[in-house]
Amino acid sequence: MDYFKYKNGALFAEDVTVSKIAEEIGTPFYCYSAITIENQFSDLKNALAGLPTTICYAVKANSNIAVIKLLADMGAGADVVSSGELTRALKAGVPAKKIVFSGVGKTANELTHALKENILQINIESEPELIALNEIAGVMNKKAQVALRINPDVDAETHNKISTGRSEDKFGIEWIHTNDVISRAKKLKNIEIIGLAMHIGSQLTKLDPFKQAFIRLEQIVKDLRANGHKITRLDLGGGLGISYDGLPAPTPAEYGKLVKATFKDLNCDLLFEPGRFIVGDSGILVTQVIYVKNGTTRRFLIL
């Protein structure tokens, strides 16, 4: 929280006292540091410099339109998981051709919405979803650009509830079936497979799980190309963690070095979906104590 500091007993957000904001707009409110968001985005972008990269901010991390617009103005795309998030991203100024639609439970209406807006790609998580999208695209006389989300069976070594890349997790297509699924997908008239996607979890505080997953993905791409499949784009997801307890987390520079070591020679466009890393350390919730209630064993502050 570098840009939220106490000075002479007053809490500042960048160069503005939080109490002054409260006086002007009332409480409760969320207060975000634009400098923090800009610095985090720039650090990641610089770490990936030299690669054909698009950073698609994961809107689920914070869907405040002002936050999305700030990032869009810096050149960010958006990773969305619902029609609502897609609408917000477009309203905030994210170009449709920088929007990726992810998520395991996309409805027919959401797939239709994505196709109507001509977004960059839809990340497909199962064969039933692929078949449903083909039918919807056929009715709309469109060809859907999709990336298959691969489950690499790698433990992200993070909290169980935010691990998404193990074989028992509901996300993605098991990596051993990638070639068969793509072979079947190529027979669908309204589907164009342009690449692969992968996201093994959130709040990763070690680089080794990324390394394992990246090496597996690299080999999958080489195997697919050897079998005649054209792969031109890789969505490497997000997951880069931040520090909550003072312990070090991987830096963007360390992450970027790993990405370059694995993918620089694959000749693929690369997408990234950071969320928490960009905004997790950027905001505070400001409330006011309106009552103090004395109980038998404790005192309560009513906000």
Side-chain angles (χ1 to χ4, degrees):
M1 306 293 286
D2 290 343
Y3 289 92
F4 294 94
K5 298 290 187 182
Y6 280 95
K7 301 176 185 178
N8 299 321
L11 179 62
F12 278 72
E14 298 181 5
D15 295 322
V16 182
T17 56
V18 173
S19 59
K20 183 177 180 180
I21 302 173
E23 289 172 4
E24 292 186 5
I25 67 172
T27 57
F29 64 90
Y30 288 100
C31 179
Y32 301 106
S33 164
I35 295 176
T36 299
I37 295 171
E38 290 166 348
N39 286 349
Q40 292 294 94
F41 180 82
S42 295
D43 286 350
L44 183 58
K45 182 178 179 180
N46 291 338
L48 298 169
L51 297 173
T53 296
T54 302
I55 298 176
C56 298
Y57 166 62
V59 173
K60 59 180 171 288
N62 187 325
S63 59
N64 184 301
I65 290 180
V67 170
I68 305 171
K69 184 179 186 306
L70 175 65
L71 288 162
D73 289 345
M74 295 184 71
D79 165 52
V80 304
V81 295
S82 69
S83 274
E85 289 187 359
L86 174 55
T87 299
R88 281 174 172 265
L90 292 168
K91 185 174 181 179
V94 180
K97 285 303 181 184
K98 285 188 175 183
I99 297 178
V100 175
F101 205 131
S102 303
V104 293
K106 308 178 200 72
T107 66
N109 285 341
E110 288 174 323
L111 292 172
T112 301
H113 187 188
L115 290 173
K116 182 180 178 181
E117 298 292 350
N118 294 311
I119 68 171
L120 177 64
Q121 74 183 37
I122 299 172
N123 288 348
I124 293 296
E125 306 235 10
S126 66
E127 282 198 80
E129 182 184 21
L130 190 63
I131 293 168
L133 178 60
N134 181 63
E135 294 174 354
I136 293 167
V139 171
M140 299 176 68
N141 196 29
K142 287 179 174 286
K143 196 153 192 173
Q145 283 206 340
V146 307
L148 292 185
R149 178 173 177 177
I150 304 305
N151 184 321
D153 193 20
V154 170
D155 189 344
E157 298 181 28
T158 184
H159 191 283
N160 182 55
K161 298 299 183 182
I162 51 176
S163 292
T164 60
R166 303 164 300 187
S167 60
E168 67 266 28
D169 295 323
K170 65 179 178 286
F171 301 92
I173 295 165
E174 290 186 70
W175 69 274
I176 57 175
H177 300 312
T178 306
N179 185 75
D180 292 339
V181 173
I182 288 184
S183 295
R184 290 191 287 270
K186 289 176 76 171
K187 299 176 183 178
L188 301 175
K189 293 195 302 181
N190 298 97
I191 295 293
E192 180 183 2
I193 303 288
I194 46 81
L196 304 176
M198 186 178 65
H199 175 70
I200 62 172
S202 300
Q203 186 52 19
L204 274 72
T205 56
K206 300 176 183 177
L207 286 178
D208 189 59
F210 283 122
K211 183 177 181 179
Q212 293 179 51
F214 288 172
I215 290 173
R216 175 151 286 170
L217 184 61
E218 176 193 28
Q219 190 58 54
I220 292 171
V221 172
K222 290 178 177 178
D223 291 346
L224 290 173
R225 286 175 172 173
N227 288 327
H229 300 303
K230 186 178 180 181
I231 302 297
T232 60
R233 189 183 300 156
L234 296 177
D235 183 341
L236 301 183
L240 196 59
I242 60 176
S243 178
Y244 286 94
D245 52 12
L247 295 176
T251 66
E254 291 168 336
Y255 176 77
K257 184 178 180 180
L258 175 60
V259 170
K260 290 175 181 179
T262 313
F263 298 109
K264 66 178 181 179
D265 296 325
L266 270 190
N267 194 29
C268 283
D269 292 332
L270 301 177
L271 305 181
F272 298 86
E273 301 171 356
R276 183 199 308 260
F277 174 78
I278 300 291
V279 298
D281 204 25
S282 70
I284 58 174
L285 171 62
V286 181
T287 65
Q288 182 178 358
V289 178
I290 54 177
Y291 301 113
V292 177
K293 176 182 174 182
N294 291 310
T296 302
T297 59
R298 64 176 64 184
R299 184 172 64 167
F300 300 93
L301 299 182
I302 310 301
L303 307 182

